Amino acid sequence: MTQKLDFQQMSRKELRTYVLAHREDEEALRAYMERLHNEPGVIRQVGGLNEEDLNRLEQFIARRAGDRSS
């Protein structure tokens, strides 16, 4: 039987590394997001993206997709 990990005891960096390596672990992702939400100094996006932001995001994604196909 696998021992359950204690996400509260992990550092933010350790938890991030774990979440990236175990993307299917929703409990770990929730713990990480909660940690980010409660941590001082973390900048949060309020509202939504305006049309200009969406256009820039689409251009960025298109450039990244082009870089990977080369």
Side-chain angles (χ1 to χ4, degrees):
M1 186 158 114
T2 307
Q3 182 179 353
K4 185 172 175 151
L5 296 173
D6 186 355
F7 301 125
Q8 302 306 316
Q9 296 299 318
M10 291 182 174
S11 70
R12 180 172 149 197
K13 184 176 181 179
E14 290 170 329
L15 185 52
R16 180 181 186 275
T17 300
Y18 178 85
V19 166
L20 290 173
H22 301 89
R23 294 173 188 261
E24 74 288 348
D25 191 335
E26 292 180 19
E27 183 181 356
L29 178 59
R30 276 194 294 277
Y32 183 68
M33 295 305 291
E34 183 177 324
R35 174 107 35 110
L36 285 180
H37 178 74
N38 293 323
E39 194 166 302
V42 173
I43 299 171
R44 293 167 190 83
Q45 173 70 27
V46 181
L49 297 174
N50 61 32
E51 190 170 340
E52 182 181 344
D53 292 334
L54 288 172
N55 288 334
R56 278 193 278 188
L57 180 58
E58 288 174 351
Q59 290 171 1
F60 173 78
I61 291 170
R63 281 195 308 271
R64 292 293 301 237
D67 290 346
R68 292 185 180 161
S69 65
S70 299

Short mmCIF file of all heavy atoms in Angstrom, two decimals:
data_model
loop_
_atom_site.label_atom_id
_atom_site.label_comp_id
_atom_site.label_asym_id
_atom_site.label_seq_id
_atom_site.Cartn_x
_atom_site.Cartn_y
_atom_site.Cartn_z
N MET A 1 0.84 -1.17 0.00
CA MET A 1 0.00 0.00 0.00
C MET A 1 0.89 1.25 0.00
O MET A 1 1.88 1.32 0.71
CB MET A 1 -0.89 -0.02 1.24
CG MET A 1 -1.89 1.09 1.25
SD MET A 1 -3.27 0.68 2.33
CE MET A 1 -3.06 1.91 3.56
N THR A 2 0.54 2.22 -0.81
CA THR A 2 1.32 3.45 -0.93
C THR A 2 0.97 4.41 0.19
O THR A 2 -0.20 4.62 0.50
CB THR A 2 1.03 4.12 -2.29
OG1 THR A 2 1.23 3.17 -3.32
CG2 THR A 2 1.93 5.31 -2.51
N GLN A 3 2.00 5.01 0.78
CA GLN A 3 1.79 5.99 1.84
C GLN A 3 1.30 7.30 1.23
O GLN A 3 1.83 7.76 0.22
CB GLN A 3 3.08 6.23 2.60
CG GLN A 3 2.93 7.19 3.75
CD GLN A 3 4.25 7.37 4.49
OE1 GLN A 3 5.22 6.69 4.22
NE2 GLN A 3 4.26 8.29 5.42
N LYS A 4 0.28 7.88 1.83
CA LYS A 4 -0.28 9.13 1.34
C LYS A 4 0.69 10.28 1.65
O LYS A 4 1.20 10.38 2.76
CB LYS A 4 -1.63 9.39 1.99
CG LYS A 4 -2.32 10.60 1.45
CD LYS A 4 -3.72 10.71 1.97
CE LYS A 4 -4.29 12.01 1.49
NZ LYS A 4 -5.69 12.00 1.31
N LEU A 5 0.93 11.13 0.68
CA LEU A 5 1.83 12.26 0.86
C LEU A 5 1.15 13.37 1.65
O LEU A 5 -0.05 13.59 1.52
CB LEU A 5 2.26 12.81 -0.50
CG LEU A 5 3.08 11.85 -1.37
CD1 LEU A 5 3.30 12.45 -2.74
CD2 LEU A 5 4.41 11.56 -0.71
N ASP A 6 1.93 14.07 2.45
CA ASP A 6 1.41 15.21 3.21
C ASP A 6 1.82 16.48 2.49
O ASP A 6 2.93 16.98 2.66
CB ASP A 6 1.97 15.19 4.65
CG ASP A 6 1.36 16.25 5.52
OD1 ASP A 6 0.58 17.10 5.00
OD2 ASP A 6 1.66 16.27 6.72
N PHE A 7 0.91 17.00 1.67
CA PHE A 7 1.22 18.17 0.86
C PHE A 7 1.47 19.41 1.72
O PHE A 7 2.19 20.31 1.32
CB PHE A 7 0.09 18.45 -0.13
CG PHE A 7 -0.16 17.29 -1.06
CD1 PHE A 7 -1.42 16.73 -1.18
CD2 PHE A 7 0.87 16.76 -1.83
CE1 PHE A 7 -1.65 15.67 -2.04
CE2 PHE A 7 0.65 15.70 -2.68
CZ PHE A 7 -0.61 15.15 -2.79
N GLN A 8 0.89 19.44 2.92
CA GLN A 8 1.08 20.59 3.81
C GLN A 8 2.52 20.67 4.31
O GLN A 8 3.00 21.75 4.64
CB GLN A 8 0.11 20.53 4.99
CG GLN A 8 -1.35 20.49 4.59
CD GLN A 8 -1.75 21.64 3.68
OE1 GLN A 8 -1.37 22.78 3.92
NE2 GLN A 8 -2.49 21.34 2.63
N GLN A 9 3.20 19.56 4.38
CA GLN A 9 4.58 19.54 4.86
C GLN A 9 5.60 19.84 3.76
O GLN A 9 6.76 20.13 4.05
CB GLN A 9 4.90 18.18 5.49
CG GLN A 9 4.08 17.88 6.72
CD GLN A 9 4.31 18.90 7.83
OE1 GLN A 9 5.43 19.32 8.09
NE2 GLN A 9 3.23 19.32 8.47
N MET A 10 5.15 19.78 2.52
CA MET A 10 6.06 20.07 1.40
C MET A 10 6.26 21.57 1.26
O MET A 10 5.35 22.36 1.52
CB MET A 10 5.47 19.54 0.08
CG MET A 10 5.42 18.07 -0.05
SD MET A 10 4.74 17.68 -1.69
CE MET A 10 4.93 15.92 -1.70
N SER A 11 7.45 21.96 0.80
CA SER A 11 7.67 23.36 0.46
C SER A 11 6.88 23.65 -0.82
O SER A 11 6.45 22.74 -1.53
CB SER A 11 9.16 23.63 0.23
OG SER A 11 9.58 23.00 -0.98
N ARG A 12 6.70 24.93 -1.10
CA ARG A 12 5.98 25.30 -2.32
C ARG A 12 6.69 24.74 -3.55
O ARG A 12 6.06 24.22 -4.47
CB ARG A 12 5.87 26.81 -2.41
CG ARG A 12 5.13 27.27 -3.64
CD ARG A 12 4.89 28.76 -3.58
NE ARG A 12 4.89 29.29 -4.91
CZ ARG A 12 5.02 30.56 -5.21
NH1 ARG A 12 5.18 31.44 -4.27
NH2 ARG A 12 5.00 30.96 -6.45
N LYS A 13 8.02 24.80 -3.55
CA LYS A 13 8.80 24.29 -4.69
C LYS A 13 8.64 22.78 -4.82
O LYS A 13 8.46 22.26 -5.93
CB LYS A 13 10.27 24.65 -4.51
CG LYS A 13 11.14 24.26 -5.67
CD LYS A 13 12.57 24.72 -5.48
CE LYS A 13 13.42 24.34 -6.67
NZ LYS A 13 14.79 24.79 -6.54
N GLU A 14 8.69 22.06 -3.71
CA GLU A 14 8.51 20.60 -3.75
C GLU A 14 7.11 20.24 -4.26
O GLU A 14 6.96 19.32 -5.07
CB GLU A 14 8.70 20.00 -2.36
CG GLU A 14 10.11 20.05 -1.84
CD GLU A 14 10.21 19.68 -0.38
OE1 GLU A 14 9.27 19.94 0.40
OE2 GLU A 14 11.26 19.13 -0.01
N LEU A 15 6.11 20.97 -3.77
CA LEU A 15 4.74 20.69 -4.18
C LEU A 15 4.56 20.99 -5.67
O LEU A 15 3.94 20.21 -6.39
CB LEU A 15 3.76 21.50 -3.34
CG LEU A 15 2.28 21.24 -3.57
CD1 LEU A 15 1.94 19.76 -3.48
CD2 LEU A 15 1.45 22.04 -2.58
N ARG A 16 5.13 22.07 -6.15
CA ARG A 16 5.06 22.41 -7.58
C ARG A 16 5.70 21.31 -8.42
O ARG A 16 5.13 20.87 -9.43
CB ARG A 16 5.74 23.75 -7.85
CG ARG A 16 5.70 24.16 -9.30
CD ARG A 16 6.43 25.50 -9.49
NE ARG A 16 6.29 25.98 -10.84
CZ ARG A 16 7.08 25.62 -11.86
NH1 ARG A 16 8.06 24.76 -11.67
NH2 ARG A 16 6.88 26.10 -13.06
N THR A 17 6.87 20.87 -8.01
CA THR A 17 7.56 19.80 -8.72
C THR A 17 6.71 18.54 -8.76
O THR A 17 6.60 17.88 -9.80
CB THR A 17 8.93 19.52 -8.07
OG1 THR A 17 9.71 20.72 -8.11
CG2 THR A 17 9.67 18.40 -8.78
N TYR A 18 6.11 18.20 -7.62
CA TYR A 18 5.25 17.01 -7.55
C TYR A 18 4.06 17.15 -8.49
O TYR A 18 3.72 16.23 -9.23
CB TYR A 18 4.78 16.77 -6.11
CG TYR A 18 3.86 15.58 -6.02
CD1 TYR A 18 4.38 14.29 -5.89
CD2 TYR A 18 2.49 15.74 -6.10
CE1 TYR A 18 3.54 13.19 -5.84
CE2 TYR A 18 1.64 14.65 -6.06
CZ TYR A 18 2.17 13.37 -5.93
OH TYR A 18 1.34 12.29 -5.91
N VAL A 19 3.40 18.32 -8.45
CA VAL A 19 2.21 18.53 -9.29
C VAL A 19 2.58 18.41 -10.77
O VAL A 19 1.85 17.81 -11.55
CB VAL A 19 1.57 19.90 -8.97
CG1 VAL A 19 0.56 20.30 -10.04
CG2 VAL A 19 0.91 19.88 -7.60
N LEU A 20 3.72 18.98 -11.16
CA LEU A 20 4.13 18.89 -12.56
C LEU A 20 4.44 17.45 -12.98
O LEU A 20 4.20 17.07 -14.12
CB LEU A 20 5.34 19.79 -12.81
CG LEU A 20 5.04 21.28 -12.76
CD1 LEU A 20 6.34 22.08 -12.85
CD2 LEU A 20 4.07 21.70 -13.86
N ALA A 21 4.94 16.66 -12.05
CA ALA A 21 5.27 15.26 -12.36
C ALA A 21 4.06 14.34 -12.27
O ALA A 21 4.06 13.25 -12.84
CB ALA A 21 6.37 14.77 -11.41
N HIS A 22 3.03 14.77 -11.54
CA HIS A 22 1.83 13.96 -11.33
C HIS A 22 0.59 14.78 -11.66
O HIS A 22 -0.25 15.06 -10.80
CB HIS A 22 1.76 13.47 -9.87
CG HIS A 22 2.94 12.65 -9.48
ND1 HIS A 22 4.09 13.20 -8.96
CD2 HIS A 22 3.16 11.32 -9.56
CE1 HIS A 22 4.96 12.24 -8.73
NE2 HIS A 22 4.43 11.09 -9.09
N ARG A 23 0.47 15.16 -12.91
CA ARG A 23 -0.59 16.06 -13.34
C ARG A 23 -1.98 15.49 -13.14
O ARG A 23 -2.96 16.25 -13.10
CB ARG A 23 -0.38 16.45 -14.80
CG ARG A 23 0.87 17.29 -14.98
CD ARG A 23 1.18 17.54 -16.44
NE ARG A 23 2.46 18.18 -16.60
CZ ARG A 23 2.64 19.48 -16.79
NH1 ARG A 23 1.61 20.27 -16.85
NH2 ARG A 23 3.85 19.98 -16.91
N GLU A 24 -2.11 14.21 -12.98
CA GLU A 24 -3.42 13.59 -12.77
C GLU A 24 -3.86 13.65 -11.31
O GLU A 24 -5.02 13.37 -11.00
CB GLU A 24 -3.40 12.13 -13.24
CG GLU A 24 -2.65 11.17 -12.32
CD GLU A 24 -1.13 11.31 -12.32
OE1 GLU A 24 -0.56 12.00 -13.18
OE2 GLU A 24 -0.50 10.73 -11.42
N ASP A 25 -2.99 14.06 -10.40
CA ASP A 25 -3.29 14.09 -8.97
C ASP A 25 -4.02 15.39 -8.62
O ASP A 25 -3.41 16.42 -8.35
CB ASP A 25 -2.00 13.97 -8.15
CG ASP A 25 -2.26 13.72 -6.68
OD1 ASP A 25 -3.34 14.11 -6.18
OD2 ASP A 25 -1.37 13.16 -6.01
N GLU A 26 -5.35 15.30 -8.65
CA GLU A 26 -6.17 16.49 -8.41
C GLU A 26 -6.04 17.01 -6.98
O GLU A 26 -6.11 18.21 -6.75
CB GLU A 26 -7.62 16.19 -8.75
CG GLU A 26 -7.83 15.97 -10.24
CD GLU A 26 -9.26 15.68 -10.59
OE1 GLU A 26 -10.17 15.98 -9.78
OE2 GLU A 26 -9.48 15.13 -11.68
N GLU A 27 -5.84 16.13 -6.04
CA GLU A 27 -5.68 16.55 -4.64
C GLU A 27 -4.42 17.41 -4.48
O GLU A 27 -4.43 18.44 -3.80
CB GLU A 27 -5.61 15.33 -3.72
CG GLU A 27 -5.51 15.71 -2.26
CD GLU A 27 -5.42 14.50 -1.35
OE1 GLU A 27 -5.51 13.35 -1.82
OE2 GLU A 27 -5.25 14.71 -0.14
N ALA A 28 -3.35 17.00 -5.13
CA ALA A 28 -2.10 17.77 -5.07
C ALA A 28 -2.28 19.13 -5.75
O ALA A 28 -1.81 20.14 -5.23
CB ALA A 28 -0.97 16.99 -5.74
N LEU A 29 -2.95 19.15 -6.88
CA LEU A 29 -3.19 20.41 -7.57
C LEU A 29 -4.02 21.35 -6.71
O LEU A 29 -3.72 22.54 -6.60
CB LEU A 29 -3.88 20.17 -8.91
CG LEU A 29 -4.22 21.42 -9.71
CD1 LEU A 29 -2.97 22.23 -10.03
CD2 LEU A 29 -4.96 21.06 -10.99
N ARG A 30 -5.06 20.81 -6.07
CA ARG A 30 -5.88 21.65 -5.18
C ARG A 30 -5.05 22.21 -4.04
O ARG A 30 -5.17 23.38 -3.68
CB ARG A 30 -7.06 20.85 -4.62
CG ARG A 30 -8.26 20.81 -5.56
CD ARG A 30 -9.50 20.31 -4.86
NE ARG A 30 -9.41 18.93 -4.45
CZ ARG A 30 -9.64 17.89 -5.23
NH1 ARG A 30 -9.98 18.08 -6.49
NH2 ARG A 30 -9.55 16.67 -4.79
N ALA A 31 -4.19 21.39 -3.46
CA ALA A 31 -3.33 21.84 -2.36
C ALA A 31 -2.39 22.94 -2.84
O ALA A 31 -2.18 23.94 -2.15
CB ALA A 31 -2.53 20.67 -1.80
N TYR A 32 -1.84 22.79 -4.04
CA TYR A 32 -0.93 23.80 -4.59
C TYR A 32 -1.67 25.10 -4.88
O TYR A 32 -1.19 26.18 -4.53
CB TYR A 32 -0.28 23.26 -5.87
CG TYR A 32 0.72 24.21 -6.47
CD1 TYR A 32 1.93 24.49 -5.83
CD2 TYR A 32 0.48 24.84 -7.68
CE1 TYR A 32 2.85 25.37 -6.37
CE2 TYR A 32 1.40 25.71 -8.23
CZ TYR A 32 2.59 25.98 -7.57
OH TYR A 32 3.49 26.85 -8.11
N MET A 33 -2.85 25.00 -5.48
CA MET A 33 -3.62 26.21 -5.79
C MET A 33 -4.05 26.93 -4.51
O MET A 33 -4.01 28.15 -4.44
CB MET A 33 -4.84 25.86 -6.65
CG MET A 33 -4.47 25.31 -8.02
SD MET A 33 -3.39 26.39 -8.97
CE MET A 33 -4.50 27.73 -9.31
N GLU A 34 -4.42 26.17 -3.50
CA GLU A 34 -4.79 26.77 -2.22
C GLU A 34 -3.59 27.49 -1.60
O GLU A 34 -3.71 28.59 -1.07
CB GLU A 34 -5.31 25.70 -1.27
CG GLU A 34 -5.78 26.26 0.06
CD GLU A 34 -6.36 25.19 0.96
OE1 GLU A 34 -7.02 24.26 0.45
OE2 GLU A 34 -6.14 25.27 2.18
N ARG A 35 -2.44 26.85 -1.70
CA ARG A 35 -1.22 27.47 -1.17
C ARG A 35 -0.93 28.78 -1.89
O ARG A 35 -0.60 29.78 -1.27
CB ARG A 35 -0.05 26.50 -1.33
CG ARG A 35 1.28 27.03 -0.96
CD ARG A 35 1.90 26.53 0.31
NE ARG A 35 1.67 25.17 0.68
CZ ARG A 35 2.58 24.21 0.67
NH1 ARG A 35 3.80 24.46 0.25
NH2 ARG A 35 2.28 23.00 1.08
N LEU A 36 -1.05 28.80 -3.20
CA LEU A 36 -0.83 30.03 -3.96
C LEU A 36 -1.85 31.10 -3.58
O LEU A 36 -1.51 32.27 -3.44
CB LEU A 36 -0.91 29.77 -5.47
CG LEU A 36 0.26 29.05 -6.11
CD1 LEU A 36 0.00 28.87 -7.60
CD2 LEU A 36 1.56 29.78 -5.88
N HIS A 37 -3.09 30.68 -3.43
CA HIS A 37 -4.15 31.63 -3.10
C HIS A 37 -3.91 32.30 -1.75
O HIS A 37 -4.19 33.48 -1.58
CB HIS A 37 -5.50 30.91 -3.09
CG HIS A 37 -6.64 31.80 -2.72
ND1 HIS A 37 -7.14 32.74 -3.60
CD2 HIS A 37 -7.35 31.92 -1.58
CE1 HIS A 37 -8.12 33.39 -3.00
NE2 HIS A 37 -8.27 32.92 -1.78
N ASN A 38 -3.37 31.56 -0.80
CA ASN A 38 -3.18 32.07 0.55
C ASN A 38 -1.82 32.71 0.79
O ASN A 38 -1.58 33.28 1.84
CB ASN A 38 -3.40 30.94 1.57
CG ASN A 38 -4.83 30.48 1.59
OD1 ASN A 38 -5.75 31.27 1.46
ND2 ASN A 38 -5.03 29.19 1.72
N GLU A 39 -0.92 32.60 -0.18
CA GLU A 39 0.43 33.10 0.01
C GLU A 39 0.51 34.60 -0.30
O GLU A 39 0.04 35.05 -1.34
CB GLU A 39 1.39 32.34 -0.90
CG GLU A 39 2.83 32.55 -0.54
CD GLU A 39 3.71 31.54 -1.22
OE1 GLU A 39 3.50 30.33 -1.00
OE2 GLU A 39 4.59 31.96 -1.99
N PRO A 40 1.08 35.37 0.61
CA PRO A 40 1.20 36.81 0.34
C PRO A 40 2.18 37.08 -0.79
O PRO A 40 3.13 36.32 -1.00
CB PRO A 40 1.73 37.38 1.66
CG PRO A 40 2.36 36.23 2.36
CD PRO A 40 1.65 34.99 1.89
N GLY A 41 1.92 38.13 -1.53
CA GLY A 41 2.83 38.53 -2.60
C GLY A 41 2.56 37.88 -3.94
O GLY A 41 3.20 38.21 -4.92
N VAL A 42 1.61 36.95 -4.00
CA VAL A 42 1.27 36.31 -5.27
C VAL A 42 0.28 37.21 -5.99
O VAL A 42 -0.74 37.60 -5.42
CB VAL A 42 0.67 34.90 -5.06
CG1 VAL A 42 0.18 34.32 -6.37
CG2 VAL A 42 1.70 33.98 -4.43
N ILE A 43 0.59 37.59 -7.21
CA ILE A 43 -0.27 38.47 -7.99
C ILE A 43 -1.37 37.64 -8.64
O ILE A 43 -1.10 36.63 -9.28
CB ILE A 43 0.55 39.22 -9.05
CG1 ILE A 43 1.61 40.07 -8.37
CG2 ILE A 43 -0.36 40.06 -9.95
CD1 ILE A 43 2.60 40.68 -9.32
N ARG A 44 -2.58 38.09 -8.45
CA ARG A 44 -3.73 37.38 -9.02
C ARG A 44 -4.36 38.22 -10.11
O ARG A 44 -4.44 39.43 -10.00
CB ARG A 44 -4.76 37.12 -7.93
CG ARG A 44 -4.26 36.14 -6.89
CD ARG A 44 -5.17 36.16 -5.67
NE ARG A 44 -4.57 35.42 -4.57
CZ ARG A 44 -3.67 35.91 -3.74
NH1 ARG A 44 -3.25 37.14 -3.87
NH2 ARG A 44 -3.17 35.17 -2.77
N GLN A 45 -4.84 37.58 -11.14
CA GLN A 45 -5.55 38.26 -12.22
C GLN A 45 -7.00 38.43 -11.79
O GLN A 45 -7.66 37.47 -11.44
CB GLN A 45 -5.48 37.42 -13.51
CG GLN A 45 -6.31 37.95 -14.65
CD GLN A 45 -5.75 39.23 -15.24
OE1 GLN A 45 -4.55 39.47 -15.17
NE2 GLN A 45 -6.60 40.05 -15.80
N VAL A 46 -7.46 39.66 -11.80
CA VAL A 46 -8.84 39.94 -11.43
C VAL A 46 -9.59 40.33 -12.69
O VAL A 46 -9.05 41.01 -13.56
CB VAL A 46 -8.90 41.08 -10.39
CG1 VAL A 46 -10.33 41.38 -9.99
CG2 VAL A 46 -8.07 40.73 -9.17
N GLY A 47 -10.83 39.93 -12.77
CA GLY A 47 -11.60 40.23 -13.97
C GLY A 47 -11.31 39.21 -15.04
O GLY A 47 -11.08 38.05 -14.75
N GLY A 48 -11.30 39.64 -16.25
CA GLY A 48 -11.03 38.72 -17.34
C GLY A 48 -10.02 39.33 -18.28
O GLY A 48 -9.47 40.40 -18.03
N LEU A 49 -9.79 38.63 -19.34
CA LEU A 49 -8.90 39.16 -20.37
C LEU A 49 -9.71 40.02 -21.32
O LEU A 49 -10.81 39.65 -21.72
CB LEU A 49 -8.24 38.02 -21.14
CG LEU A 49 -7.33 37.09 -20.34
CD1 LEU A 49 -6.87 35.93 -21.22
CD2 LEU A 49 -6.14 37.85 -19.80
N ASN A 50 -9.16 41.17 -21.69
CA ASN A 50 -9.85 41.98 -22.69
C ASN A 50 -9.45 41.47 -24.08
O ASN A 50 -8.63 40.57 -24.23
CB ASN A 50 -9.54 43.47 -22.50
CG ASN A 50 -8.06 43.79 -22.64
OD1 ASN A 50 -7.35 43.15 -23.39
ND2 ASN A 50 -7.61 44.79 -21.91
N GLU A 51 -10.03 42.07 -25.10
CA GLU A 51 -9.79 41.58 -26.46
C GLU A 51 -8.33 41.67 -26.87
O GLU A 51 -7.78 40.77 -27.50
CB GLU A 51 -10.66 42.37 -27.45
CG GLU A 51 -10.66 41.77 -28.84
CD GLU A 51 -11.69 42.40 -29.75
OE1 GLU A 51 -12.65 43.01 -29.26
OE2 GLU A 51 -11.52 42.26 -30.97
N GLU A 52 -7.66 42.75 -26.47
CA GLU A 52 -6.23 42.90 -26.79
C GLU A 52 -5.40 41.80 -26.13
O GLU A 52 -4.52 41.21 -26.76
CB GLU A 52 -5.73 44.27 -26.34
CG GLU A 52 -4.28 44.52 -26.69
CD GLU A 52 -3.80 45.89 -26.21
OE1 GLU A 52 -4.64 46.74 -25.87
OE2 GLU A 52 -2.57 46.07 -26.17
N ASP A 53 -5.70 41.49 -24.87
CA ASP A 53 -4.99 40.41 -24.17
C ASP A 53 -5.21 39.08 -24.86
O ASP A 53 -4.28 38.29 -25.02
CB ASP A 53 -5.46 40.31 -22.71
CG ASP A 53 -5.05 41.50 -21.87
OD1 ASP A 53 -4.04 42.15 -22.21
OD2 ASP A 53 -5.76 41.77 -20.88
N LEU A 54 -6.45 38.81 -25.27
CA LEU A 54 -6.76 37.56 -25.96
C LEU A 54 -6.01 37.46 -27.28
O LEU A 54 -5.49 36.40 -27.64
CB LEU A 54 -8.26 37.42 -26.19
CG LEU A 54 -9.10 37.14 -24.95
CD1 LEU A 54 -10.59 37.22 -25.28
CD2 LEU A 54 -8.76 35.79 -24.35
N ASN A 55 -5.93 38.56 -28.01
CA ASN A 55 -5.19 38.57 -29.28
C ASN A 55 -3.72 38.28 -29.06
O ASN A 55 -3.10 37.50 -29.79
CB ASN A 55 -5.37 39.90 -30.01
CG ASN A 55 -6.75 40.07 -30.59
OD1 ASN A 55 -7.43 39.10 -30.89
ND2 ASN A 55 -7.17 41.31 -30.76
N ARG A 56 -3.14 38.92 -28.04
CA ARG A 56 -1.72 38.66 -27.73
C ARG A 56 -1.50 37.21 -27.32
O ARG A 56 -0.51 36.60 -27.70
CB ARG A 56 -1.24 39.60 -26.64
CG ARG A 56 -0.85 40.95 -27.18
CD ARG A 56 -0.11 41.73 -26.17
NE ARG A 56 -1.14 42.32 -25.32
CZ ARG A 56 -0.97 43.22 -24.38
NH1 ARG A 56 0.20 43.63 -24.07
NH2 ARG A 56 -1.95 43.71 -23.71
N LEU A 57 -2.43 36.66 -26.54
CA LEU A 57 -2.31 35.27 -26.12
C LEU A 57 -2.37 34.34 -27.33
O LEU A 57 -1.58 33.40 -27.45
CB LEU A 57 -3.41 34.93 -25.11
CG LEU A 57 -3.42 33.52 -24.57
CD1 LEU A 57 -2.10 33.17 -23.88
CD2 LEU A 57 -4.58 33.34 -23.60
N GLU A 58 -3.30 34.59 -28.23
CA GLU A 58 -3.40 33.77 -29.44
C GLU A 58 -2.12 33.85 -30.28
O GLU A 58 -1.65 32.84 -30.79
CB GLU A 58 -4.60 34.21 -30.28
CG GLU A 58 -5.93 33.82 -29.69
CD GLU A 58 -7.11 34.38 -30.45
OE1 GLU A 58 -6.91 35.23 -31.36
OE2 GLU A 58 -8.23 33.97 -30.14
N GLN A 59 -1.55 35.04 -30.40
CA GLN A 59 -0.31 35.21 -31.16
C GLN A 59 0.83 34.46 -30.49
O GLN A 59 1.64 33.81 -31.16
CB GLN A 59 0.04 36.69 -31.29
CG GLN A 59 -0.90 37.45 -32.19
CD GLN A 59 -0.68 38.96 -32.13
OE1 GLN A 59 0.22 39.44 -31.43
NE2 GLN A 59 -1.48 39.71 -32.86
N PHE A 60 0.89 34.53 -29.17
CA PHE A 60 1.94 33.82 -28.43
C PHE A 60 1.81 32.31 -28.64
O PHE A 60 2.81 31.64 -28.93
CB PHE A 60 1.83 34.17 -26.93
CG PHE A 60 2.75 33.36 -26.08
CD1 PHE A 60 4.10 33.68 -26.00
CD2 PHE A 60 2.28 32.29 -25.34
CE1 PHE A 60 4.96 32.94 -25.22
CE2 PHE A 60 3.13 31.54 -24.55
CZ PHE A 60 4.48 31.87 -24.49
N ILE A 61 0.61 31.80 -28.53
CA ILE A 61 0.38 30.36 -28.71
C ILE A 61 0.75 29.94 -30.13
O ILE A 61 1.39 28.91 -30.34
CB ILE A 61 -1.07 30.00 -28.37
CG1 ILE A 61 -1.30 30.16 -26.86
CG2 ILE A 61 -1.40 28.58 -28.81
CD1 ILE A 61 -2.74 30.07 -26.42
N ALA A 62 0.38 30.76 -31.11
CA ALA A 62 0.70 30.43 -32.51
C ALA A 62 2.21 30.40 -32.72
O ALA A 62 2.73 29.52 -33.41
CB ALA A 62 0.05 31.45 -33.45
N ARG A 63 2.93 31.38 -32.12
CA ARG A 63 4.39 31.39 -32.25
C ARG A 63 4.99 30.15 -31.61
O ARG A 63 5.90 29.54 -32.16
CB ARG A 63 4.98 32.65 -31.61
CG ARG A 63 4.85 33.88 -32.45
CD ARG A 63 5.75 35.01 -31.97
NE ARG A 63 5.60 35.30 -30.56
CZ ARG A 63 4.73 36.17 -30.03
NH1 ARG A 63 3.91 36.83 -30.81
NH2 ARG A 63 4.69 36.37 -28.74
N ARG A 64 4.51 29.80 -30.42
CA ARG A 64 5.04 28.62 -29.73
C ARG A 64 4.77 27.34 -30.52
O ARG A 64 5.62 26.47 -30.62
CB ARG A 64 4.43 28.48 -28.33
CG ARG A 64 4.83 29.55 -27.35
CD ARG A 64 6.30 29.44 -27.00
NE ARG A 64 6.62 28.18 -26.44
CZ ARG A 64 7.17 27.95 -25.27
NH1 ARG A 64 7.49 28.96 -24.51
NH2 ARG A 64 7.42 26.74 -24.86
N ALA A 65 3.59 27.24 -31.09
CA ALA A 65 3.24 26.07 -31.90
C ALA A 65 4.15 26.00 -33.12
O ALA A 65 4.59 24.92 -33.52
CB ALA A 65 1.77 26.11 -32.31
N GLY A 66 4.46 27.14 -33.72
CA GLY A 66 5.35 27.20 -34.88
C GLY A 66 6.76 26.79 -34.51
O GLY A 66 7.44 26.11 -35.27
N ASP A 67 7.22 27.18 -33.31
CA ASP A 67 8.57 26.82 -32.85
C ASP A 67 8.71 25.31 -32.68
O ASP A 67 9.74 24.75 -32.96
CB ASP A 67 8.88 27.49 -31.50
CG ASP A 67 9.05 29.00 -31.63
OD1 ASP A 67 9.20 29.50 -32.77
OD2 ASP A 67 9.04 29.67 -30.58
N ARG A 68 7.67 24.66 -32.25
CA ARG A 68 7.73 23.23 -31.98
C ARG A 68 7.63 22.39 -33.24
O ARG A 68 8.06 21.25 -33.26
CB ARG A 68 6.62 22.83 -31.00
CG ARG A 68 6.87 23.41 -29.64
CD ARG A 68 5.89 22.95 -28.66
NE ARG A 68 6.22 23.55 -27.37
CZ ARG A 68 5.41 23.66 -26.37
NH1 ARG A 68 4.19 23.20 -26.47
NH2 ARG A 68 5.78 24.21 -25.25
N SER A 69 7.04 22.96 -34.28
CA SER A 69 6.91 22.19 -35.52
C SER A 69 8.16 22.24 -36.38
O SER A 69 8.28 21.53 -37.34
CB SER A 69 5.70 22.69 -36.32
OG SER A 69 5.91 24.02 -36.75
N SER A 70 9.08 23.12 -36.03
CA SER A 70 10.32 23.26 -36.82
C SER A 70 11.31 22.16 -36.53
O SER A 70 11.38 21.59 -35.52
CB SER A 70 11.00 24.60 -36.51
OG SER A 70 10.14 25.66 -36.85
#
